């Protein structure tokens, strides 16, 4: 279990946390006076003790909150939110920090193929394959050239219709263990995985299962993010605050 840092003792009103990544929740718990903004509703509803709002990140919204600083902790692959936070903070001259966990790294027993974009999967995964896909819904349209049989993991209800040539939605509900993932891969006769390099412990069990079974993995690189100061841990983010 991840140990949460103690609550920050300084007056941190005026700190805005842009959420989306799991780290945003732990950071918010350490900064109870901080305001949290989510650009999309969470797939699994969570309880937040901080002031919480949903919607785009804009300079007008930041101004209305009385923001003094922005800590952007969106999902590592959500570049759109990262750039929106960067633009909004820059318009108001606010200090901004990115809290971005490190990407996964393959080990000696892993069979990973790095992809620059989801569209490249069709050039790597053979048509005869059965592939488990855990990309976000917004990226499925990029996989239309894929000829393999696709099993797309969904958390929550699946939408009507399937957007790819062959396959179906596979409804699942976490948290997932390595044993669960191994059983799922065997039961569905999966021989490829396709996912984004989100990093973190939450998605690692499926990669550990692929390693155990010797399955190849098509790993989509993270998109480019804006420049500026960046840290990888909550402790580093808290240490950044006294410099404001």
């Amino acid at each position: 279990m991840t140990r949460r840092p103690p609550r920050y003792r300084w007056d941190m009103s005026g700190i805005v946390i842009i959420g989306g990544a799991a780290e945003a929740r732990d950071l918010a718990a350490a900064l109870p006076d901080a305001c949290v903004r989510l650009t999309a509703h969470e797939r699994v509803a969570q309880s937040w003790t901080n002031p919480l709002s949903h919607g785009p990140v804009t300079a007008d919204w930041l101004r209305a909150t009385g923001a003094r600083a922005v800590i952007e902790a969106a999902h590592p692959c959500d570049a759109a939110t990262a750039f929106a936070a960067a633009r909004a903070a820059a318009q108001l001259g606010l200090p901004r920090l990115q809290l971005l966990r490190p990407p996964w790294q393959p080990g000696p027993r892993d069979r990973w193929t790095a992809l620059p974009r989801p569209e490249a999967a069709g050039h790597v995964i053979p048509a005869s394959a059965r592939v488990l896909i855990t990309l976000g819904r917004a990226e499925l349209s990029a996989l239309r050239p894929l000829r393999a049989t696709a099993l797309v993991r969904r958390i929550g209800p699946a939408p009507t219709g399937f957007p790819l040539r062959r396959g179906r939605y596979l409804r699942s509900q976490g948290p997932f263990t390595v044993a669960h993932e191994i059983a799922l891969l065997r039961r569905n006769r999966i021989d490829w995985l396709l996912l984004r390099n989100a990093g973190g412990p939450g998605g690692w069990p499926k990669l550990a299962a692929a390693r155990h079974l010797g399955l190849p993995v098509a790993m989509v690189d993270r998109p480019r993010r804006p420049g500026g100061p960046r840290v990888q841990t909550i402790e580093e983010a808290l240490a950044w605050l006294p410099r404001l």
Side-chain angles (χ1 to χ4, degrees), residues 19-186:
E23 291 77 12
R25 288 185 52 78
D26 288 346
L27 180 63
L31 299 170
D33 294 328
C35 174
V36 177
R37 182 74 157 180
L38 300 178
T39 58
H41 287 272
E42 297 168 296
R43 293 181 300 174
V44 179
Q46 303 285 349
S47 59
W48 293 80
T49 57
N50 301 66
L52 175 68
S53 64
H54 294 84
V57 180
T58 65
D60 288 342
W61 176 79
L62 285 177
R63 185 183 295 110
T65 66
R68 296 190 296 117
V70 176
I71 302 179
E72 181 262 299
H75 189 280
C77 298
D78 184 2
T81 296
F83 276 102
R87 288 191 298 269
Q91 288 179 39
L92 299 182
L94 298 177
R96 174 184 56 90
L97 178 72
Q98 295 182 73
L99 173 56
L100 184 66
R101 61 180 179 249
W104 293 312
Q105 299 294 336
R109 295 170 52 201
D110 293 315
R111 300 170 57 196
W112 295 6
T113 299
L115 305 180
R117 298 174 305 281
E119 294 88 333
H123 301 294
V124 173
I125 301 174
S128 59
R130 292 175 59 85
V131 54
L132 176 66
I133 300 173
T134 61
L135 299 174
R137 181 175 59 182
E139 294 179 285
L140 291 182
S141 60
L143 300 178
R144 285 173 183 155
L146 187 69
R147 293 173 295 165
T149 300
L151 279 77
V152 178
R153 172 176 279 172
R154 289 282 302 173
I155 297 175
T160 303
F162 190 71
L164 305 182
R165 296 186 185 188
R166 294 189 294 168
R168 59 184 174 88
Y169 287 110
L170 188 65
R171 185 173 179 180
S172 301
Q173 188 69 46
F176 305 108
T177 65
V178 176
H180 171 276
E181 299 289 52
I182 290 173
L184 180 142
L185 294 175
R186 284 174 168 164

Side-chain angles (χ1 to χ4, degrees), residues 9 28 37 49 80 93 98 139-141 151 168 175 180 193 196 209 212 221 224 230-232 237 243:
R9 296 181 181 178
R37 182 74 157 180
T49 57
Q98 295 182 73
E139 294 179 285
L140 291 182
S141 60
L151 279 77
R168 59 184 174 88
H180 171 276
L193 267 67
R196 301 175 296 182
H212 177 82
D221 295 336
R224 182 179 67 87
R230 182 181 298 181
V231 297
Q232 295 184 340
R243 304 175 200 165

Side-chain angles (χ1 to χ4, degrees), residues 186-210:
R186 284 174 168 164
R187 182 169 61 251
N188 291 281
R189 307 188 312 280
I190 300 297
D191 43 30
W192 270 84
L193 267 67
L194 172 59
L195 65 155
R196 301 175 296 182
N197 196 333
W204 181 256
K206 58 180 168 287
L207 292 171

